[in-house]
Amino acid sequence: MSLRDRTGEKADLYRRAGQSDAAAGHLLVPLAELESALAARGGNGEIGVEIDNTARAEALAPYLDRLGLIAIAFPAFGDGRGFSIAKSLRNRGYRGVLRAVGPLIADQFAYALACGFDEVELPAAVAARQPVAQWIAALGAMRGAYQRSHPTQGIGILEQRRAARRARPE
């Protein structure tokens, strides 16, 4: 497993339920165990939840202010449903960490960030084929996007064009 964000490789603060050191620190649980984990440990950002790419953002709405991390599964790099879930969670006001989990490729990194993801967790085999430098370089490969971006990502190409038109003298 390799965890990457816009600055490169990073350490994972969250431990999955069942790991030997999961009792201490931040805990990452499956959606089915979320209620019990929140009841046992409180909702101070130390709980994260793993969801499938078939989950609905509405199902997490009651918990958004108590979760520090939402990890969304990508079973294959060609299955983009997780991007829609991330965008929906950000639109619902989630401000914690969003993590894409699965075999994404470096070419999808900028888009993942634009959809609201903060980090990507890659399987070891994918991480070995695509070193960190390749992921960082992919961020600069495309400088603009047509879709509306998450507020922290800047504005899209269409908004830039509209602003330029409004600024032009008649």
Side-chain angles (χ1 to χ4, degrees), residues 61-148:
Y63 312 107
L64 294 182
D65 61 338
R66 298 188 289 166
L67 295 171
L69 170 73
I70 298 175
I72 302 171
F74 282 78
F77 79 88
D79 189 338
R81 291 177 286 180
F83 295 122
S84 299
I85 296 169
K87 189 76 168 173
S88 181
L89 288 167
R90 291 297 187 201
N91 288 340
R92 290 177 178 279
Y94 181 66
R95 298 288 172 243
V97 176
L98 278 180
R99 178 185 295 178
V101 179
L104 295 179
I105 57 175
D107 292 349
Q108 295 171 307
F109 193 33
Y111 184 65
L113 295 174
C115 287
F117 282 105
D118 299 293
E119 56 194 31
V120 177
E121 180 182 321
L122 300 170
V126 174
R129 283 193 317 267
Q130 298 178 20
V132 173
Q134 186 175 351
W135 281 74
I136 299 301
L139 287 177
M142 292 194 289
R143 304 216 188 282
Y146 282 97
Q147 68 276 0
R148 292 183 187 271

